Amino acid sequence: MRRRSLLIAVPAGMATLAACNDDGASSAESSDSASPSASATSGAPAPKIVDGPLPAITAGAKFGEKPTVAKGSGDPSGQLAVKTVIAGNGRTAAEGDFLVANYLGQIWDTAKVFDNSFDRGSALAIQLAQASVIDGWRYALTGKKVGSRVEFAVPPTWGYGKEGYAEGGIKGTDTLVFVVDMKGVYPVTSSAKGTNVAQDNVDLPKAGTNTDGKAPSIEIPKKDAPAELVSSYVIEGDGEKVAADSGLLVQYKGVLWDSGKEFDSTYARKTLTSFSLDGVVKGWKQGLTGKKVGSRVLIVIPPALGYGDNPPSGSGIEKDSTLVFTVDILAKL
């Protein structure tokens, strides 16, 4: 099952932004496939990194193409076999960074593909950290560069353990083979990159333009909140435009118009978050559609496009609250 994002899963920290169904329940994506994020850390000692054996990639050999991988031959290594198939020259991934990647995973003995992002048409965003991804990914990809294609074979010890992952058809004895195309790496201090845009409307909040990884300020004017959605650039990036159904990796902060009180922030949690615009409140979906990757966007969401009279329990949001956000769009998935 794919790990749900913070905006959808409602763990400690935040149920806000998740869109609600007619019965008031938060919407969420789920899958019976076994993504690399489905297992907690194994707690095992670090593996030895070895060169092989690894099965051949028989088709889809270019970066960005869905690979076809042969069945494993003979017994796999009991350690972590890793090979850089295509060497990139971008940023080097460090432990704790968020990786945006396309990937395919299959079972060594059968070549059965249990999950891949290529068919979904949306890359995975995942943190290379304990309890966020299986240990095999963390050890194989830390130190690799953006633009690289990496193939590696993960024994159960650094995968899903002796229990396996039944929903994905993975037994506790299965070694898993992954091919990962590293599209981007983002430290938790990532910020928007672009050109500052004048904020000269005195009726609207003014957001900070710092890009040092710290939370920007949000100054609320002593005026009535706007009745309509506001979405404007604070910093305008030069990346591709966000579509209405895009998946995004972002940094954000949210405050209440009436009090200026912060109710949620990735900066405070020292993390980034990813989500699909199909799974968040209407104000976010409408406010971010058409904006460019790399930008910081100020969004003012009236109650009708936020939570109205049904805010998430424990969120600190009162009924009929106007919400104010800064959103740094780091990557389109």
Side-chain angles (χ1 to χ4, degrees), residues 82-241:
V82 181
K83 179 183 179 182
T84 300
V85 180
I86 298 171
N89 58 7
R91 188 184 189 111
T92 300
E95 183 154 358
D97 286 350
F98 277 74
L99 170 68
V100 173
N102 277 311
Y103 69 98
L104 177 140
Q106 68 183 46
I107 297 171
W108 176 280
D109 287 335
T110 64
K112 177 186 175 182
V113 175
F114 57 82
D115 192 29
N116 86 91
S117 67
F118 295 93
D119 288 346
R120 288 195 293 272
S122 181
L124 174 75
I126 199 162
Q127 190 176 22
L128 297 177
Q130 285 189 336
S132 295
V133 66
I134 58 173
D135 285 342
W137 270 56
R138 189 163 58 91
Y139 289 120
L141 297 174
T142 296
K144 302 298 185 184
K145 293 185 176 183
V146 171
S148 296
R149 167 170 283 190
V150 184
E151 182 183 14
F152 51 101
V154 182
T157 300
W158 297 282
Y160 294 97
K162 295 179 180 179
E163 297 78 13
Y165 194 76
E167 293 88 341
I170 298 170
K171 302 191 298 291
T173 55
D174 284 336
T175 289
L176 311 177
V177 179
F178 290 97
V179 176
V180 177
D181 286 356
M182 300 176 64
K183 297 182 65 179
V185 167
Y186 302 88
V188 296
T189 55
S190 295
S191 294
K193 293 182 180 179
T195 303
N196 292 353
V197 176
Q199 302 177 71
D200 48 15
N201 188 333
V202 297
D203 294 327
L204 295 179
K206 186 173 182 179
T209 57
N210 57 295
T211 56
D212 55 2
K214 296 179 181 178
S217 59
I218 302 178
E219 299 175 8
I220 309 293
K222 297 185 183 302
K223 297 178 181 291
D224 291 338
E228 304 296 327
L229 176 73
V230 173
S231 175
S232 57
Y233 286 120
V234 177
I235 299 172
E236 185 173 357
D238 60 2
E240 62 179 313
K241 290 186 177 180

Side-chain angles (χ1 to χ4, degrees), residues 267-284:
Y267 302 94
R269 294 198 304 275
K270 297 183 178 172
T271 189
L272 307 176
T273 198
S274 62
F275 55 88
S276 167
L277 284 182
D278 284 334
V280 293
V281 294
K282 291 179 181 179
W284 266 55

Side-chain angles (χ1 to χ4, degrees), residues 24-63:
S26 294
S27 67
E29 296 179 59
S30 64
S31 168
D32 290 331
S33 62
S35 83
S37 59
S39 172
T41 178
S42 68
K48 180 180 179 182
I49 306 297
V50 297
D51 293 334
L54 285 165
I57 298 172
T58 59
K62 294 181 180 179
F63 186 94

